[in-house]
């Protein structure tokens, strides 16, 4: 994924060094269509457990960066696999020795984005403000636009990817 020779070994050494120095270590998994299988998810959890990782963060790919212009959105069957993985490894007593699973989209699909401009915003390195770090939808420029008025406006809208569910969908 990184396109660098030895990237896996570097990540392994970095995790070990961080752990040796008392830091909490997280592995972020960009769950692509090609990766999402029951076998791959189990192997990833085993790897994280063996490395002593504190938590795994699952991110769904967005059509930006390396994926710009590509159909990267995962389908319903893959979402179900990810959600079952999240629930099993976090709530089944047989998996208490495994790292916690953080899966933002699990909650976002049910109650809308945790950010969405209501609880936090994301400002990128260009000074562009997004309603959350996962949407990659520029709302305004913190460098050139009226920040106070735009922050007021951004809180009136939800995340551009995850819209709020109705109460019946939550039950």
């Amino acid at each position: 994924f990184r396109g660098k020779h030895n990237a896996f070994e570097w990540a392994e050494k970095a995790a070990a060094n961080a752990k040796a120095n008392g830091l909490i270590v997280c592995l972020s998994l960009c769950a692509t269509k090609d990766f999402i299988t029951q076998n791959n998810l189990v192997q990833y959890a085993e790897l994280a457990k063996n490395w002593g990782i504190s938590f795994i963060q699952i991110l769904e790919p967005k059509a930006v960066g390396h994926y710009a212009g590509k159909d990267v959105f995962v389908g319903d069957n893959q979402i179900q696999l990810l959600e079952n993985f999240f629930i099993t490894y976090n709530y089944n007593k047989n998996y208490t020795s495994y790292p916690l699973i953080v899966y933002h989209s699990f909650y976002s699909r049910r109650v809308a984005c945790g950010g969405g401009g209501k609880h936090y915003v994301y400002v990128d390195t260009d000074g562009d403000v997004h309603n959350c770090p996962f949407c990659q939808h520029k709302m305004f420029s913190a460098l050139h636009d009226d920040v106070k008025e735009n922050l007021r406006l951004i809180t009136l809208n939800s995340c551009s990817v995850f819209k709020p569910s109705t109460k019946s969908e939550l039950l």
Side-chain angles (χ1 to χ4, degrees), residues 27-161:
L27 292 181
S28 290
L29 167 63
C30 183
T32 62
K33 291 180 191 184
D34 295 336
F35 182 84
I36 303 170
T37 67
Q38 183 66 31
N39 186 52
N40 284 347
L41 293 171
V42 168
Q43 286 183 11
Y44 199 86
E46 288 294 331
L47 172 80
K49 178 183 175 185
N50 292 337
W51 284 10
I53 300 301
S54 298
F55 66 99
I56 297 168
Q57 174 178 245
I58 299 174
L59 303 170
E60 292 179 16
K62 305 292 183 231
V64 297
H66 294 300
Y67 298 137
K70 297 179 182 173
D71 178 21
V72 295
F73 295 102
V74 296
D76 291 342
N77 290 338
Q78 293 167 315
I79 290 169
Q80 191 61 55
L81 276 172
L82 291 171
E83 290 190 357
N84 289 343
F85 176 70
F86 166 80
I87 291 167
T88 300
Y89 279 78
N90 282 336
Y91 300 107
N92 184 314
K93 66 180 179 178
N94 295 326
Y95 296 93
T96 57
S97 63
Y98 286 82
L100 292 173
I101 308 296
V102 176
Y103 181 32
H104 305 282
S105 297
F106 179 86
Y107 298 107
S108 296
R109 283 192 176 85
R110 288 158 175 78
V111 294
C113 181
K118 297 185 185 305
H119 302 288
Y120 64 85
V121 295
Y122 170 69
V123 181
D124 66 22
T125 56
D126 294 326
D128 293 332
V129 178
H130 308 262
N131 49 4
C132 86
F134 305 110
C135 300
Q136 298 297 314
H137 176 73
K138 176 184 170 181
M139 303 302 288
F140 64 92
S141 170
L143 302 175
H144 306 291
D145 298 327
D146 181 346
V147 173
K148 188 173 182 178
E149 176 60 14
N150 278 297
L151 285 176
R152 187 187 71 75
L153 293 173
I154 201 173
T155 61
L156 300 176
N157 298 307
S158 186
C159 174
S160 58
V161 174

Side-chain angles (χ1 to χ4, degrees), residues 1-11 66:
F1 180 78
R2 293 282 176 213
K4 301 284 184 188
H5 184 67
N6 293 331
F8 181 84
E9 290 80 14
W10 295 340
H66 294 300

